[in-house]
Protein backbone atom coordinates (compact mmCIF):
# COMPACT_ATOMS: atom_id res chain seq x y z
CA UNK A 1 0.00 0.00 0.00
CA UNK A 2 1.31 3.47 -0.88
CA UNK A 3 2.07 6.06 1.77
CA UNK A 4 -0.93 8.17 0.73
CA UNK A 5 -3.24 5.23 0.95
CA UNK A 6 -2.01 4.41 4.46
CA UNK A 7 -2.40 7.93 5.82
CA UNK A 8 -5.66 8.95 4.19
CA UNK A 9 -6.21 12.22 2.43
CA UNK A 10 -8.06 15.42 3.14
CA UNK A 11 -11.33 15.69 1.30
CA UNK A 12 -13.97 18.38 1.40
CA UNK A 13 -17.47 16.93 1.14
CA UNK A 14 -19.69 19.72 -0.19
CA UNK A 15 -23.36 19.00 0.44
CA UNK A 16 -26.37 20.76 -1.00
CA UNK A 17 -28.65 20.89 2.01
CA UNK A 18 -32.30 21.76 2.46
CA UNK A 19 -34.28 22.54 5.59
CA UNK A 20 -38.04 22.49 4.93
CA UNK A 21 -40.29 25.14 6.34
CA UNK A 22 -42.91 23.89 8.79
CA UNK A 23 -46.15 23.30 6.86
CA UNK A 24 -49.46 24.79 7.95
CA UNK A 25 -52.15 22.20 8.76
CA UNK A 26 -54.09 22.86 5.55
CA UNK A 27 -51.09 22.03 3.32
CA UNK A 28 -50.42 18.86 5.28
CA UNK A 29 -53.97 17.64 4.69
CA UNK A 30 -53.36 17.82 0.92
CA UNK A 31 -49.95 16.18 1.02
CA UNK A 32 -49.05 12.84 -0.60
CA UNK A 33 -49.84 11.00 2.61
CA UNK A 34 -52.38 8.19 2.16
CA UNK A 35 -54.41 10.06 4.78
CA UNK A 36 -54.25 13.33 2.81
CA UNK A 37 -56.56 14.64 0.05
CA UNK A 38 -56.98 13.03 -3.38
CA UNK A 39 -54.38 13.60 -6.11
CA UNK A 40 -55.42 15.90 -8.90
CA UNK A 41 -54.00 16.27 -12.39
CA UNK A 42 -54.26 15.19 -15.99
CA UNK A 43 -51.62 12.48 -16.30
CA UNK A 44 -53.00 8.97 -16.92
CA UNK A 45 -50.49 7.80 -14.35
CA UNK A 46 -51.75 10.27 -11.81
CA UNK A 47 -50.47 13.69 -11.08
CA UNK A 48 -48.79 14.05 -7.80
CA UNK A 49 -49.00 16.31 -4.91
CA UNK A 50 -45.61 14.80 -4.14
CA UNK A 51 -44.17 16.65 -7.12
CA UNK A 52 -45.10 19.92 -5.48
CA UNK A 53 -42.23 22.10 -4.47
CA UNK A 54 -41.66 22.10 -0.73
CA UNK A 55 -40.68 25.47 0.66
CA UNK A 56 -37.63 25.88 2.83
CA UNK A 57 -34.02 26.98 2.99
CA UNK A 58 -31.44 25.72 0.50
CA UNK A 59 -27.78 26.11 1.41
CA UNK A 60 -24.42 24.49 0.73
CA UNK A 61 -22.22 23.19 3.54
CA UNK A 62 -18.61 21.99 3.41
CA UNK A 63 -17.23 19.29 5.69
CA UNK A 64 -13.47 18.68 5.73
CA UNK A 65 -12.59 15.10 6.63
CA UNK A 66 -9.75 12.64 6.20
CA UNK A 67 -10.86 9.80 3.96
CA UNK A 68 -9.11 6.56 3.15
CA UNK A 69 -8.97 5.56 -0.50
CA UNK A 70 -11.35 2.61 -0.83
CA UNK A 71 -13.93 4.24 1.41
CA UNK A 72 -17.31 4.92 -0.10
CA UNK A 73 -19.04 8.28 -0.10
CA UNK A 74 -21.57 6.71 2.29
CA UNK A 75 -18.71 5.93 4.74
CA UNK A 76 -17.73 9.59 4.65
CA UNK A 77 -21.30 10.79 5.26
CA UNK A 78 -21.59 8.40 8.22
CA UNK A 79 -18.33 9.82 9.60
CA UNK A 80 -19.73 13.32 9.25
CA UNK A 81 -23.05 12.39 10.85
CA UNK A 82 -21.41 10.61 13.80
CA UNK A 83 -18.54 13.02 14.45
CA UNK A 84 -19.36 16.45 13.07
CA UNK A 85 -22.98 17.16 12.32
CA UNK A 86 -25.81 14.88 13.50
CA UNK A 87 -28.35 17.11 11.72
CA UNK A 88 -27.21 15.99 8.26
CA UNK A 89 -29.99 13.90 6.67
CA UNK A 90 -29.48 11.18 4.08
CA UNK A 91 -31.10 7.81 3.43
CA UNK A 92 -29.47 4.38 3.23
CA UNK A 93 -30.27 0.87 4.30
CA UNK A 94 -28.24 -2.12 3.06
CA UNK A 95 -24.95 -0.30 2.38
CA UNK A 96 -24.17 -2.77 -0.42
CA UNK A 97 -25.99 -1.67 -3.59
CA UNK A 98 -29.01 -3.91 -2.96
CA UNK A 99 -31.86 -1.78 -1.59
CA UNK A 100 -31.57 1.28 -3.86
CA UNK A 101 -32.50 3.73 -1.11
CA UNK A 102 -29.45 6.02 -1.28
CA UNK A 103 -29.46 7.47 -4.78
CA UNK A 104 -28.04 11.00 -4.96
CA UNK A 105 -26.09 13.12 -7.40
CA UNK A 106 -22.31 13.01 -6.87
CA UNK A 107 -20.32 15.57 -8.86
CA UNK A 108 -23.37 15.89 -11.08
CA UNK A 109 -23.75 12.16 -11.73
CA UNK A 110 -26.74 10.27 -10.30
CA UNK A 111 -25.48 7.20 -8.45
CA UNK A 112 -25.65 5.30 -5.13
CA UNK A 113 -23.81 6.61 -2.06
CA UNK A 114 -22.83 3.12 -0.94
CA UNK A 115 -21.13 2.02 -4.17
CA UNK A 116 -19.43 5.33 -5.02
CA UNK A 117 -15.75 5.12 -4.09
CA UNK A 118 -14.22 8.37 -2.92
CA UNK A 119 -11.16 8.10 -5.14
CA UNK A 120 -13.20 7.26 -8.23
CA UNK A 121 -15.22 10.44 -8.07
CA UNK A 122 -12.24 12.59 -7.22
CA UNK A 123 -10.21 10.88 -9.88
CA UNK A 124 -12.60 11.57 -12.73
CA UNK A 125 -12.66 15.26 -11.82
CA UNK A 126 -8.89 15.55 -11.52
CA UNK A 127 -8.41 13.80 -14.82
CA UNK A 128 -10.71 16.33 -16.42
CA UNK A 129 -8.66 19.15 -14.94
CA UNK A 130 -5.46 17.54 -16.16
CA UNK A 131 -3.73 18.38 -12.88
CA UNK A 132 -0.39 16.61 -12.54
CA UNK A 133 -0.23 16.94 -8.76
CA UNK A 134 -3.65 15.39 -8.37
CA UNK A 135 -2.61 12.51 -10.58
CA UNK A 136 0.35 11.97 -8.29
CA UNK A 137 -2.05 11.84 -5.35
CA UNK A 138 -4.11 8.88 -6.49
CA UNK A 139 -6.51 10.96 -8.54
CA UNK A 140 -7.87 13.32 -5.90
CA UNK A 141 -9.02 16.54 -7.51
CA UNK A 142 -6.95 19.52 -6.38
CA UNK A 143 -8.58 22.70 -5.20
CA UNK A 144 -7.14 26.13 -6.00
CA UNK A 145 -4.48 26.10 -3.31
CA UNK A 146 -3.64 22.50 -3.98
CA UNK A 147 0.04 22.75 -4.90
CA UNK A 148 0.99 23.95 -1.41
CA UNK A 149 -1.66 21.88 0.26
CA UNK A 150 -0.28 18.63 -1.15
CA UNK A 151 3.09 19.18 0.47
CA UNK A 152 1.70 20.58 3.73
CA UNK A 153 -0.73 17.72 4.15
CA UNK A 154 1.71 14.93 3.46
CA UNK A 155 4.41 16.35 5.72
CA UNK A 156 1.98 17.01 8.60
CA UNK A 157 0.41 13.56 8.26
CA UNK A 158 3.83 11.94 8.21
CA UNK A 159 4.94 13.80 11.32
CA UNK A 160 1.77 12.74 13.18
CA UNK A 161 2.36 9.13 12.23
CA UNK A 162 6.00 9.23 13.24
CA UNK A 163 4.73 9.99 16.77
CA UNK A 164 3.30 6.48 16.77
CA UNK A 165 -0.39 7.45 16.84
CA UNK A 166 -3.14 5.23 15.51
CA UNK A 167 -4.37 5.95 11.95
CA UNK A 168 -8.08 5.43 12.55
CA UNK A 169 -8.00 7.55 15.67
CA UNK A 170 -6.29 10.33 13.79
CA UNK A 171 -8.90 10.35 11.08
CA UNK A 172 -11.70 10.77 13.55
CA UNK A 173 -9.78 13.34 15.54
CA UNK A 174 -9.20 15.40 12.43
CA UNK A 175 -12.84 15.60 11.40
CA UNK A 176 -13.92 19.20 11.25
CA UNK A 177 -16.54 21.36 9.69
CA UNK A 178 -13.97 24.08 9.03
CA UNK A 179 -12.61 24.20 5.48
CA UNK A 180 -9.07 22.96 5.77
CA UNK A 181 -6.32 24.88 3.95
CA UNK A 182 -4.87 21.49 3.03
CA UNK A 183 -8.03 20.13 1.42
CA UNK A 184 -7.07 18.15 -1.64
CA UNK A 185 -10.38 17.22 -3.13
CA UNK A 186 -13.92 18.49 -3.28
CA UNK A 187 -16.72 15.99 -3.74
CA UNK A 188 -20.07 17.63 -4.29
CA UNK A 189 -23.23 15.80 -3.28
CA UNK A 190 -26.75 16.95 -4.15
CA UNK A 191 -30.18 15.30 -3.94
CA UNK A 192 -31.25 13.08 -6.84
CA UNK A 193 -32.42 15.33 -9.71
CA UNK A 194 -36.04 15.13 -10.86
CA UNK A 195 -37.45 14.37 -7.38
CA UNK A 196 -38.84 16.79 -4.79
CA UNK A 197 -36.42 17.26 -1.90
CA UNK A 198 -37.77 16.53 1.58
CA UNK A 199 -34.65 17.31 3.61
CA UNK A 200 -30.93 17.54 2.70
CA UNK A 201 -30.21 14.48 0.51
CA UNK A 202 -33.57 12.77 1.09
CA UNK A 203 -36.00 13.01 -1.81
CA UNK A 204 -39.63 11.99 -2.12
CA UNK A 205 -39.86 8.78 -4.20
CA UNK A 206 -43.65 8.36 -3.84
CA UNK A 207 -44.35 9.39 -7.40
CA UNK A 208 -41.89 6.84 -8.83
CA UNK A 209 -43.25 4.05 -6.62
CA UNK A 210 -46.85 4.92 -7.53
CA UNK A 211 -46.03 4.86 -11.23
CA UNK A 212 -44.34 1.45 -10.86
CA UNK A 213 -47.42 0.17 -9.00
CA UNK A 214 -49.78 1.47 -11.69
CA UNK A 215 -48.10 -0.80 -14.23
CA UNK A 216 -48.92 -3.85 -12.08
CA UNK A 217 -45.44 -5.32 -11.60
CA UNK A 218 -46.48 -8.87 -10.76
CA UNK A 219 -46.94 -12.06 -12.77
CA UNK A 220 -50.31 -12.63 -14.39
CA UNK A 221 -50.16 -16.22 -15.55
CA UNK A 222 -52.29 -19.33 -15.98
CA UNK A 223 -50.32 -21.85 -13.96
CA UNK A 224 -50.93 -25.57 -14.24
CA UNK A 225 -51.65 -27.49 -11.09
CA UNK A 226 -48.78 -29.86 -10.40
CA UNK A 227 -49.17 -33.16 -8.57
CA UNK A 228 -46.90 -34.81 -6.05
CA UNK A 229 -45.64 -38.41 -6.42
CA UNK A 230 -48.57 -39.72 -4.46
CA UNK A 231 -51.03 -37.90 -6.72
CA UNK A 232 -51.88 -34.94 -4.49
CA UNK A 233 -52.21 -31.49 -6.04
CA UNK A 234 -49.99 -29.13 -4.11
CA UNK A 235 -48.79 -26.19 -6.21
CA UNK A 236 -49.04 -24.19 -9.37
CA UNK A 237 -46.34 -24.87 -11.91
CA UNK A 238 -45.08 -22.37 -14.48
CA UNK A 239 -42.93 -24.00 -17.15
CA UNK A 240 -40.26 -21.98 -18.90
CA UNK A 241 -37.19 -22.65 -21.04
CA UNK A 242 -33.78 -21.27 -19.94
CA UNK A 243 -33.65 -18.91 -22.96
CA UNK A 244 -37.06 -17.51 -21.96
CA UNK A 245 -35.83 -16.93 -18.42
CA UNK A 246 -32.78 -15.14 -19.82
CA UNK A 247 -35.00 -12.56 -21.57
CA UNK A 248 -36.16 -10.95 -18.35
CA UNK A 249 -33.60 -12.14 -15.78
CA UNK A 250 -31.45 -9.01 -15.91
CA UNK A 251 -34.53 -6.77 -15.78
CA UNK A 252 -35.66 -8.45 -12.58
CA UNK A 253 -32.48 -7.11 -10.91
CA UNK A 254 -33.85 -3.56 -10.94
CA UNK A 255 -33.88 -2.18 -7.39
CA UNK A 256 -36.03 0.91 -8.15
CA UNK A 257 -33.27 3.22 -7.05
CA UNK A 258 -34.34 6.01 -9.42
CA UNK A 259 -30.81 6.64 -10.74
CA UNK A 260 -32.07 6.25 -14.33
CA UNK A 261 -34.87 8.71 -13.62
CA UNK A 262 -32.43 11.19 -12.10
CA UNK A 263 -30.36 10.96 -15.29
CA UNK A 264 -33.32 11.40 -17.66
CA UNK A 265 -33.84 14.96 -18.95
CA UNK A 266 -37.44 14.17 -19.95
CA UNK A 267 -38.35 12.82 -16.50
CA UNK A 268 -36.79 15.90 -14.90
CA UNK A 269 -39.27 18.00 -16.88
CA UNK A 270 -42.21 17.07 -14.64
CA UNK A 271 -45.21 14.89 -15.32
CA UNK A 272 -44.65 14.54 -19.06
CA UNK A 273 -43.05 11.11 -18.66
CA UNK A 274 -43.78 8.13 -16.44
CA UNK A 275 -40.03 7.51 -16.30
CA UNK A 276 -37.61 4.69 -17.07
CA UNK A 277 -37.86 2.89 -13.70
CA UNK A 278 -41.59 2.21 -14.14
CA UNK A 279 -41.06 1.16 -17.74
CA UNK A 280 -38.29 -1.25 -16.71
CA UNK A 281 -40.74 -2.79 -14.21
CA UNK A 282 -43.30 -3.17 -17.03
CA UNK A 283 -40.69 -4.52 -19.44
CA UNK A 284 -39.70 -7.23 -16.97
CA UNK A 285 -43.21 -8.75 -17.31
CA UNK A 286 -43.68 -7.92 -21.00
CA UNK A 287 -40.56 -10.04 -21.62
CA UNK A 288 -41.70 -12.90 -19.38
CA UNK A 289 -43.02 -15.79 -21.52
CA UNK A 290 -45.27 -16.97 -18.66
CA UNK A 291 -47.17 -13.69 -18.42
CA UNK A 292 -50.55 -13.65 -20.16
CA UNK A 293 -51.20 -9.90 -20.00
CA UNK A 294 -48.68 -8.66 -22.57
CA UNK A 295 -51.25 -6.77 -24.70
CA UNK A 296 -52.75 -5.13 -21.65
CA UNK A 297 -49.27 -4.09 -20.49
CA UNK A 298 -48.33 -2.67 -23.89
CA UNK A 299 -51.62 -0.73 -23.94
CA UNK A 300 -50.80 0.71 -20.53
CA UNK A 301 -47.43 2.12 -21.65
CA UNK A 302 -48.50 3.27 -25.14
CA UNK A 303 -49.66 6.65 -23.83
CA UNK A 304 -48.45 10.19 -24.39
CA UNK A 305 -46.63 10.12 -21.06
CA UNK A 306 -45.65 6.45 -21.36
CA UNK A 307 -43.02 5.04 -23.70
CA UNK A 308 -44.11 7.54 -26.39
CA UNK A 309 -42.55 10.35 -24.32
CA UNK A 310 -39.10 8.69 -24.34
CA UNK A 311 -36.74 10.74 -26.53
CA UNK A 312 -34.03 8.02 -26.67
CA UNK A 313 -31.46 10.29 -25.03
CA UNK A 314 -30.06 7.15 -23.34
CA UNK A 315 -28.57 9.03 -20.39
CA UNK A 316 -30.49 6.48 -18.29
CA UNK A 317 -28.13 3.69 -19.38
CA UNK A 318 -24.94 5.24 -18.07
CA UNK A 319 -25.15 4.72 -14.33
CA UNK A 320 -27.60 1.88 -13.64
CA UNK A 321 -26.05 0.15 -10.60
CA UNK A 322 -27.53 -3.19 -11.72
CA UNK A 323 -25.97 -3.08 -15.17
CA UNK A 324 -29.25 -2.74 -17.06
CA UNK A 325 -28.95 -0.97 -20.41
CA UNK A 326 -32.04 1.10 -19.66
CA UNK A 327 -31.92 3.13 -22.88
CA UNK A 328 -31.82 -0.04 -24.98
CA UNK A 329 -34.78 -1.48 -23.06
CA UNK A 330 -36.72 1.76 -23.70
CA UNK A 331 -35.93 1.40 -27.40
CA UNK A 332 -37.09 -2.23 -27.41
CA UNK A 333 -40.38 -1.18 -25.80
CA UNK A 334 -40.84 1.59 -28.38
CA UNK A 335 -40.39 -0.98 -31.14
CA UNK A 336 -42.79 -3.45 -29.50
CA UNK A 337 -45.50 -0.79 -29.24
CA UNK A 338 -44.84 0.50 -32.79
CA UNK A 339 -44.87 -2.95 -34.43
CA UNK A 340 -48.07 -3.86 -32.63
CA UNK A 341 -49.81 -0.75 -33.93
CA UNK A 342 -48.55 -1.27 -37.53
S1 LIG B 1 -33.18 0.40 -14.09
FE1 LIG B 1 -31.23 0.57 -12.95
S2 LIG B 1 -31.03 2.79 -12.51
FE2 LIG B 1 -33.17 2.44 -13.10
S3 LIG B 1 -34.28 2.14 -11.15
FE3 LIG B 1 -33.69 0.08 -11.92
S4 LIG B 1 -31.70 -0.34 -10.94
FE4 LIG B 1 -32.07 1.87 -10.69
S1 LIG C 1 -27.71 1.58 0.90
FE1 LIG C 1 -28.81 0.00 -0.16
S2 LIG C 1 -28.25 0.39 -2.24
FE2 LIG C 1 -27.01 1.78 -1.17
Amino acid sequence: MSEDAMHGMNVTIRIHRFTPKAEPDRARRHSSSPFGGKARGGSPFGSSPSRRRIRGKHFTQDYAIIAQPGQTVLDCLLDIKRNIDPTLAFRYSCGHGICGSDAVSINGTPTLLCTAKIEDYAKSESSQNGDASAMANKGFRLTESAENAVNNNISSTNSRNSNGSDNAGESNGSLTNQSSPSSLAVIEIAPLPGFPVLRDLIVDIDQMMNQIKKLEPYLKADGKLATTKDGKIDMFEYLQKPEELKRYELLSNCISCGVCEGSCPVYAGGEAFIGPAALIAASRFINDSRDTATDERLDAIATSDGITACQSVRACSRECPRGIDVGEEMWQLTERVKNRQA
Side-chain angles (χ1 to χ4, degrees):
M1 193 185 285
S2 72
E3 224 176 40
D4 288 340
M6 283 173 63
H7 301 319
M9 302 186 79
N10 289 6
V11 179
T12 296
I13 306 285
R14 177 163 299 152
I15 300 181
H16 292 239
R17 300 193 62 183
F18 174 67
T19 306
K21 213 171 151 188
E23 285 187 344
D25 276 357
R26 200 170 64 82
R28 225 176 283 141
R29 277 203 302 276
H30 293 283
S31 74
S32 59
S33 151
F35 306 110
K38 275 194 177 169
R40 279 171 294 181
S43 160
F45 294 108
S47 174
S48 55
S50 65
R51 276 260 184 177
R52 83 204 145 83
R53 213 180 158 75
I54 298 167
R55 288 195 299 167
K57 187 180 162 202
H58 289 271
F59 59 105
T60 306
Q61 192 155 9
D62 285 2
Y63 300 92
I65 61 167
I66 296 178
Q68 304 295 324
Q71 271 192 319
T72 64
V73 179
L74 177 63
D75 293 331
C76 296
L77 292 193
L78 288 170
D79 269 354
I80 292 168
K81 181 134 182 118
R82 286 169 189 153
N83 300 303
I84 301 174
D85 184 355
T87 70
L88 180 64
F90 52 96
R91 186 162 45 205
Y92 79 104
S93 182
C94 68
H96 295 284
I98 304 294
C99 70
S101 63
D102 58 340
V104 295
S105 164
I106 305 180
N107 292 345
T109 302
T111 190
L112 302 179
L113 284 171
C114 65
T115 54
K117 290 272 182 347
I118 283 284
E119 71 268 30
D120 287 346
Y121 278 84
K123 189 182 207 166
S124 60
E125 296 247 341
S126 63
S127 308
Q128 280 167 22
N129 293 345
D131 193 309
S133 299
M135 295 296 281
N137 279 288
K138 304 292 173 204
F140 279 83
R141 176 167 71 90
L142 295 188
T143 53
E144 282 168 19
S145 58
E147 290 295 337
N148 294 331
V150 172
N151 297 329
N152 291 345
N153 177 62
I154 291 172
S155 59
S156 67
T157 312
N158 284 346
S159 69
R160 285 200 303 272
N161 276 285
S162 65
N163 292 338
S165 56
D166 171 75
N167 272 337
E170 270 175 28
S171 294
N172 290 338
S174 301
L175 290 170
T176 170
N177 56 2
Q178 303 294 311
S179 275
S180 160
S182 61
S183 288
L184 298 181
V186 177
I187 297 189
E188 197 160 348
I189 311 174
L192 190 64
F195 292 80
V197 185
L198 297 176
R199 180 181 288 273
D200 294 344
L201 300 175
I202 300 176
V203 294
D204 187 349
I205 59 167
D206 277 3
Q207 164 126 340
M208 177 178 75
M209 300 316 279
N210 288 338
Q211 287 167 331
I212 291 173
K213 263 194 253 167
K214 285 242 155 95
L215 293 177
E216 303 182 338
Y218 45 84
L219 191 68
K220 297 181 182 178
D222 301 326
K224 276 189 191 160
L225 282 176
T227 49
T228 58
K229 278 182 195 154
D230 45 354
K232 286 188 187 144
I233 295 172
D234 69 344
M235 64 171 103
F236 279 98
E237 189 176 48
Y238 301 101
L239 297 176
Q240 195 167 44
K241 296 184 184 128
E243 55 273 23
E244 290 169 335
L245 168 67
K246 218 171 166 188
R247 290 198 64 186
Y248 70 85
E249 207 174 16
L250 181 63
L251 297 172
S252 64
N253 287 336
C254 172
I255 51 176
S256 306
C257 62
V259 161
C260 52
E261 312 226 319
S263 315
C264 173
V266 188
Y267 187 80
E271 289 162 10
F273 185 28
I274 184 175
L279 290 167
I280 285 291
S283 182
R284 181 248 172 272
F285 292 97
I286 288 169
N287 283 292
D288 189 332
S289 60
R290 298 166 302 169
D291 196 89
T292 52
T294 309
D295 277 343
E296 207 178 286
R297 294 185 190 282
L298 289 172
D299 281 345
I301 61 167
T303 58
S304 58
D305 61 351
I307 191 63
T308 319
C310 175
Q311 303 292 307
S312 292
V313 178
R314 295 201 178 217
C316 52
S317 293
R318 281 183 219 141
E319 299 295 333
C320 172
R322 308 301 290 179
I324 299 171
D325 186 343
V326 186
E328 178 58 25
E329 292 303 329
M330 297 302 104
W331 179 248
Q332 301 282 341
L333 286 180
T334 304
E335 289 289 290
R336 286 283 292 261
V337 168
K338 202 170 72 189
N339 292 338
R340 199 176 61 119
Q341 287 163 349

